Amino acid sequence: MVERPPLTILVEPMTLSDLADVHRIERVSFSVPWPDDAYRSELTGNRLASYLVARANGAVVGYAGIWMMVDEAHITTFAVEPAWRRQRLGETLLVALLDLAIGRHAREATLEVRLSNLPARRLYEKYGFRPVGVRPRYYSDNGEDALIMTTPPLAGSAMRALLDARRAALATAPAPIGPSAGGTHLDTGEAAS
Ligand SMILES: CC(C)(COP(=O)(O)OP(=O)(O)OC[C@H]1O[C@@H](n2cnc3c(N)ncnc32)[C@H](O)[C@@H]1OP(=O)(O)O)[C@@H](O)C(=O)NCCC(=O)NCCS
């Protein structure tokens, strides 16, 4: 059997040339995707926003973003291409996003997630996010509640230790193997997590 060369995974700032791929992933990840010009406006007109993409051998396979709201990093969107899920790309993106937030001196990171979105909730819980409240009927398509999740203080010893442990685990985890037929979770609401 011929061994495939290992994939190179990089997380980098999103650029305008990534937008077609980002919107393609957006449409297959969310049943109420952001409109076609939304990410362009975010990149060109929102100085509070920062967006990252994960690339596998150069191709965009996931993306995520934050808005810095004073000293809070609000995760606005987060998605991995379905065929690339369950290969730790979500974790890799989340670590990069939290590092970005720490670099911007965010006190904590926060987000909204559908109560029914267990894959995302499990991912966020793994990185220290805990439920702190509910926004009733937050999602317009089906009136589902949003769970508000927040990290402990990002500069605190508990969060730093958790991130160090998770980084070490990621460094020794099996490398992504590439697109698969698995991982077909479709969020049923707005991309704004
Ligand atoms: C949520 C999402 C980004 C996860 O991406 P991913 O690359 O598959 O995640 P990873 O492979 O890095 O998984 C990391 C952890 O997330 C959790 N997780 C991911 N997918 C899961 C699933 N289908 N079921 C349960 N837990 C899951 C687990 O805790 C997992 O850790 P483990 O493997 O040790 O159990 C992806 O499912 C996605 O894009 N979903 C659609 C869009 C969406 O819902 N975005 C979030 C909006 S708030």
Side-chain angles (χ1 to χ4, degrees), residues 111-131:
L111 55 86
E112 285 100 14
V113 59
R114 280 175 185 268
L115 280 178
S116 64
N117 190 349
L118 293 181
R121 285 176 58 183
R122 295 287 100 83
L123 170 64
Y124 299 136
E125 282 164 8
K126 195 169 174 179
Y127 282 79
F129 288 81
R130 294 291 175 260

Side-chain angles (χ1 to χ4, degrees), residues 111-186:
L111 55 86
E112 285 100 14
V113 59
R114 280 175 185 268
L115 280 178
S116 64
N117 190 349
L118 293 181
R121 285 176 58 183
R122 295 287 100 83
L123 170 64
Y124 299 136
E125 282 164 8
K126 195 169 174 179
Y127 282 79
F129 288 81
R130 294 291 175 260
V132 293
V134 167
R135 295 197 201 284
R137 303 186 60 78
Y138 182 75
Y139 294 99
S140 56
D141 61 331
N142 65 354
E144 187 172 356
D145 295 349
L147 189 64
I148 307 166
M149 299 183 81
T150 298
T151 59
L154 291 171
S157 55
M159 194 64 191
R160 287 211 315 262
L162 187 149
L163 277 176
D164 286 348
R166 298 260 56 93
R167 271 197 203 91
L170 273 180
T172 55
I177 54 169
S180 74
T184 52
H185 173 73
L186 175 74

Side-chain angles (χ1 to χ4, degrees), residues 3-45:
E3 259 192 46
R4 280 192 287 180
L7 288 161
T8 303
I9 307 293
L10 286 178
V11 177
E12 297 176 329
M14 186 187 290
T15 67
L16 293 176
S17 59
D18 296 323
L19 293 186
D21 288 325
V22 167
H23 280 292
R24 179 180 49 74
I25 298 170
E26 174 90 8
R27 283 191 293 270
V28 295
S29 296
F30 299 101
S31 61
V32 187
W34 279 5
D36 274 353
D37 57 352
Y39 286 95
R40 178 176 296 276
S41 306
E42 286 289 284
L43 292 188
T44 57

Side-chain angles (χ1 to χ4, degrees), residues 29-30 78-80 84-92 112-113 117-120 122-124 126 185 187 191 193:
S29 296
F30 299 101
F78 201 113
V80 171
W84 285 84
R85 289 182 192 161
R86 302 310 309 253
Q87 299 189 51
R88 313 240 169 269
L89 288 161
E91 289 197 52
T92 304
E112 285 100 14
V113 59
N117 190 349
L118 293 181
R122 295 287 100 83
L123 170 64
Y124 299 136
K126 195 169 174 179
H185 173 73
D187 185 40
S193 30

